[in-house]
Amino acid sequence: MKFIRKSVLHSFQKRRCLTVSKQLTKKQSTLKRIFACIRPYTPLVLLSLLFSVITVALTLYVPILTGHGVDFILSKGNVNFHGLISIITTILTCIIISALCQWVMNHINNKITYKIVKDLRVQAFNHLQVLPLSYVDSHASGDLISRVITDIDQFSDGLLLGFTQLFTGVITILGTIVFMLSINPLITLVVVVLSPMSFFIANFISKKTFIMFKKQSEARGELTGLTNEMLEGIKVVQAFGHEEETQKQFKEINERLANYSLRATFFSSITNPATRFMYACIYAGVAISGCFGVINGMLSVGQLSSFLSYTNQYTKPFNEITSVITEFQNSLASAARVFELIDEKPISDDKADSAVLDSPKGEISLEQVDFSYTPEVPLIQGLNLHANPGQRIAIVGPTGCGKTTLINLLMRFYEINGGSIKIDGHDIDSITRHSLRASYGMVLQETWLKSTSIWENISYGNPDATKEEIIQAAKEAHAHSFIMRMPDGYDTILSEGGSNLSQGQRQLLCIARVMLCLPPMLILDEATSSIDTMTEIRIQKAFEKMMHGRTSFIVAHRLSTIKNADIILVMKDGHIIEQGSHKELLSKNGFYATLYNSQFAPV
């Protein structure tokens, strides 16, 4: 039994050591990446270092002058005022120059920090644009937002502290040692011998704080994701009475965040008191040994006062550096999450010989297409489909049968696992993604509008369109009348997601956006699902005009909207089980007929 317990304990300790080792390796890797981010600004860093050296040198020269000033006060009534005035003037000059240099240094450090942060945020945001849709679908939007905004802000705070205090602190420590050596090497040895103890303490605590700050950043991202998700669906949450469950979920994540934050703060808060204790011991050691030095004639009183001043100067940067190290652990943890996002594999580049799809006719064929979101759950297998130019292909079937997935494959939002998809005889793998997607016009059930004017939202796919063309597209989409009723007409600024419009009005603007572009191929995925019946009739007429001569794919649940389709594909479990015109499929009395009759059968 004892052997089993020992074996379990050994296994646990081994796993723990491996976890800590991975964390430290990750920390080192993150540091290398940070230095790589700093490298382009090396000239500014060197300039900051120069001003830091000047600031520290002048600051450390003041105690020497102070010591000389003390020695000019020989006794009561015996003071060298001429020498004192000269020293005071020099001290004031040093203080003024030092203050100016420090101001310039801080300005340079701010410039370096915010340039690095700007570069990193642009890199992270740009990388989001090229990440596979599968990655975006599998990660909470709140967590991704947290990485690009909050984590980079946390990194910025730590980096700024590193430049403003770490550089100056290190130079102060080195400079102080040099000045102390010039006064008395023996007492300097006391300071140098006792100092490493504080490093050991700070290093031990920093390892703990990094791990805790990493967990804190992850929990913060999770909390941001939940809050974002809840705000987007607040009406649904309240409609189904899930406020209490949501609060419980929020409370659980928030408690974990608070726990990690407290533990991170606990470890980081130990650093300063522990190092201060060590520095108090160093100061006491210097004071005692210095007093013996004065008694034995090795030091003057002025030199001892200079030495004690240098001891304070020497220990102060250690306190600042330990505080910086604590904040820097949080910064490193946040930077690691940002680099994780940037390191995610982007979608593969277009092939070097990829062709630009120019004026496609719209002949589309799928041959033995296989696809699944996860390998263990097959979805589409051996799918075959051929669409002639100008045909209208409706896709129907129960929820989860693969209708929207098929649209994603046509647009190459996801890569197929097997088979081929061709447009005008060209495999879509050999066509640039931009030209492929530009050849399609999409109106989806889920609307997306920017927080900008109605003009810009309609012209999103065709920025060069004239106002007359935009108005004409809006009229064809039956959006012009409600737009003109808005406070500023087409100049009305929409709120986030177009929330100051009804769902139907948002849908009409999305339809107008596609009508303005009129690409050679169309995808309408439940495009009229949020529109009233009377408007839908008018929109269907507009669609008839828009689809004329264009290959169109129409995904619909309301089967009354697809009666005029050239071909209706009936999908089930990733397979096309029936295809034909509306009349042909009804006459077969198969799955389509069952779906149709279920919608129109009398109750």
Side-chain angles (χ1 to χ4, degrees):
M1 194 69 181
K2 288 182 180 178
F3 172 76
I4 293 172
R5 283 201 298 268
K6 285 182 179 179
S7 177
V8 171
L9 182 61
H10 176 72
S11 177
F12 172 75
Q13 289 175 338
K14 187 176 180 181
R15 286 199 301 271
R16 187 177 178 184
C17 287
L18 284 171
T19 303
V20 173
S21 176
K22 286 180 181 177
Q23 293 283 0
L24 291 177
T25 303
K26 193 170 190 177
K27 182 178 174 181
Q28 292 168 356
S29 174
T30 303
L31 276 170
K32 288 179 181 177
R33 295 285 293 274
I34 291 172
F35 285 128
C37 292
I38 296 171
R39 195 173 295 123
Y41 303 101
T42 301
L44 284 175
V45 172
L46 293 175
L47 191 60
S48 172
L49 201 59
L50 174 63
F51 280 106
S52 179
V53 169
I54 295 170
T55 302
V56 171
L58 293 173
T59 303
L60 294 180
Y61 184 50
V62 170
I64 292 278
L65 296 172
T66 305
H68 290 326
V70 171
D71 287 336
F72 282 145
I73 305 173
L74 303 175
S75 62
K76 185 177 181 180
N78 187 10
V79 179
N80 184 349
F81 285 104
H82 179 73
L84 274 177
I85 292 171
S86 175
I87 288 211
I88 290 169
T89 305
T90 308
I91 289 173
L92 287 174
T93 304
C94 288
I95 290 171
I96 292 169
I97 296 173
S98 175
L100 286 172
C101 288
Q102 189 166 18
W103 179 80
V104 174
M105 180 192 71
N106 288 338
H107 179 71
I108 294 170
N109 290 338
N110 285 333
K111 191 171 184 178
I112 296 169
T113 299
Y114 294 121
K115 277 184 174 290
I116 291 170
V117 168
K118 182 201 73 173
D119 294 344
L120 191 60
R121 185 168 278 137
V122 168
Q123 190 179 357
F125 185 81
N126 288 347
H127 195 68
L128 276 175
Q129 312 298 311
V130 297
L131 282 175
L133 196 62
S134 56
Y135 178 84
V136 178
D137 286 344
S138 61
H139 288 75
S141 59
D143 181 62
L144 297 178
I145 293 168
S146 180
R147 291 177 191 242
V148 177
I149 306 297
T150 309
D151 285 324
I152 291 182
D153 280 341
Q154 293 285 344
F155 170 64
S156 168
D157 294 340
L159 193 63
L160 187 58
L161 277 175
F163 279 123
T164 54
Q165 294 186 14
L166 192 60
F167 275 9
T168 307
V170 171
I171 294 169
T172 301
I173 291 167
L174 295 175
T176 307
I177 292 173
V178 171
F179 277 97
M180 284 194 294
L181 283 170
S182 68
I183 297 172
N184 190 295
L186 191 61
I187 301 177
T188 305
L189 189 63
V190 175
V191 177
V192 175
V193 168
L194 291 175
S195 296
M197 289 298 296
S198 58
F199 282 114
F200 290 128
I201 294 170
N203 185 52
F204 171 77
I205 297 171
S206 70
K207 290 177 182 177
K208 294 286 186 182
T209 52
F210 174 77
I211 295 169
M212 287 301 108
F213 276 125
K214 180 73 165 60
K215 291 182 177 180
Q216 181 192 44
S217 295
E218 291 170 352
R220 189 190 298 117
E222 196 176 342
L223 195 68
T224 306
L226 175 66
T227 306
N228 183 65
E229 185 179 64
M230 189 276 296
L231 286 173
E232 286 181 351
I234 186 68
K235 292 179 182 177
V236 178
V237 172
Q238 292 177 352
F240 285 92
H242 269 255
E243 294 94 337
E244 189 175 339
E245 288 81 356
T246 305
Q247 287 168 4
K248 285 179 181 177
Q249 192 178 359
F250 183 89
K251 185 180 178 182
E252 187 272 325
I253 301 172
N254 198 32
E255 283 179 352
R256 273 196 287 120
L257 176 59
N259 184 40
Y260 292 141
S261 300
L262 281 171
R263 290 169 71 182
T265 306
F266 170 75
F267 284 117
S268 61
S269 64
I270 296 173
T271 310
N272 206 282
T275 51
R276 278 182 182 275
F277 173 76
M278 288 304 305
Y279 304 145
C281 292
I282 293 171
Y283 190 87
V286 170
I288 292 168
S289 57
C291 286
F292 281 113
V294 172
I295 292 169
N296 295 323
M298 296 169 60
L299 289 171
S300 68
V301 175
Q303 286 178 320
L304 176 59
S305 67
S306 296
F307 219 107
L308 290 174
S309 178
Y310 279 132
T311 305
N312 272 330
Q313 293 275 15
Y314 178 78
T315 55
K316 186 181 176 182
F318 280 101
N319 287 327
E320 292 177 349
I321 288 170
T322 50
S323 299
V324 169
I325 287 172
T326 299
E327 183 63 35
F328 205 61
Q329 301 310 308
N330 190 10
S331 178
L332 281 176
S334 298
R337 279 170 45 82
V338 177
F339 291 138
E340 280 175 7
L341 172 65
I342 292 172
D343 289 340
E344 281 295 327
K345 189 177 180 181
I347 53 176
S348 58
D349 293 330
D350 292 324
K351 296 176 182 176
D353 58 348
S354 292
V356 175
L357 190 60
D358 188 25
S359 302
K361 297 176 183 177
E363 182 182 359
I364 301 171
S365 62
L366 288 78
E367 300 172 1
Q368 294 297 315
V369 171
D370 295 331
F371 175 78
S372 63
Y373 291 103
T374 53
E376 61 274 9
V377 184
L379 179 58
I380 293 178
Q381 293 179 304
L383 180 64
N384 292 288
L385 169 66
H386 185 82
N388 290 317
Q391 275 193 322
R392 303 175 192 177
I393 298 95
I395 308 169
V396 300
T399 301
C401 68
K403 301 187 296 295
T404 301
T405 300
L406 178 58
I407 300 303
N408 286 334
L409 297 181
L410 290 173
M411 294 287 289
R412 207 180 166 193
F413 289 139
Y414 284 86
E415 300 292 343
I416 58 177
N417 301 134
S420 66
I421 300 176
K422 295 180 180 179
I423 296 180
D424 295 345
H426 302 289
D427 198 305
I428 60 172
D429 285 346
S430 64
I431 300 169
T432 62
R433 285 190 182 87
H434 179 74
S435 64
L436 170 68
R437 292 168 184 170
S439 300
Y440 283 102
M442 290 185 71
V443 181
L444 305 178
Q445 183 176 5
E446 295 178 0
T447 59
W448 182 82
L449 297 170
K450 289 183 66 179
S451 299
T452 184
S453 68
I454 291 176
W455 288 114
E456 291 175 85
N457 271 288
I458 295 177
S459 64
Y460 190 75
N462 186 8
D464 298 325
T466 63
K467 288 192 174 183
E468 290 74 19
E469 290 172 333
I470 293 171
I471 292 171
Q472 183 59 34
K475 286 180 178 178
E476 291 179 356
H478 298 276
H480 179 71
S481 57
F482 88 78
I483 293 172
M484 295 308 296
R485 291 195 298 270
M486 300 292 287
D488 298 311
Y490 284 85
D491 292 314
T492 301
I493 303 297
L494 301 183
S495 57
E496 184 180 358
S499 58
N500 53 337
L501 300 176
S502 71
Q503 179 66 27
Q505 289 172 333
R506 294 199 291 268
Q507 193 74 280
L508 291 175
L509 290 185
C510 292
I511 293 169
R513 186 163 59 198
V514 173
M515 285 187 166
L516 182 64
C517 299
L518 281 182
M521 296 176 287
L522 298 172
I523 292 174
L524 310 175
D525 190 350
E526 292 290 340
T528 58
S529 61
S530 303
I531 296 173
D532 63 89
T533 306
M534 293 300 295
T535 304
E536 183 182 7
I537 293 170
R538 293 195 295 268
I539 289 293
Q540 289 297 340
K541 291 179 181 178
F543 277 162
E544 288 289 328
K545 180 180 178 182
M546 186 170 66
M547 289 187 291
H548 181 71
R550 292 177 174 83
T551 306
S552 307
F553 291 88
I554 310 155
V555 177
H557 283 112
R558 285 189 283 185
L559 303 186
S560 59
T561 62
I562 57 165
K563 287 182 180 180
N564 297 327
D566 296 312
I567 299 175
I568 298 174
L569 305 177
V570 185
M571 293 189 70
K572 186 180 180 183
D573 300 327
H575 297 276
I576 297 175
I577 57 172
E578 294 177 5
Q579 60 178 304
S581 66
H582 173 69
K583 289 183 179 180
E584 290 171 349
L585 292 175
L586 282 181
S587 64
K588 288 181 181 178
N589 202 28
F591 190 74
Y592 176 81
T594 304
L595 284 176
Y596 186 81
N597 292 328
S598 68
Q599 291 188 16
F600 298 100
V603 179

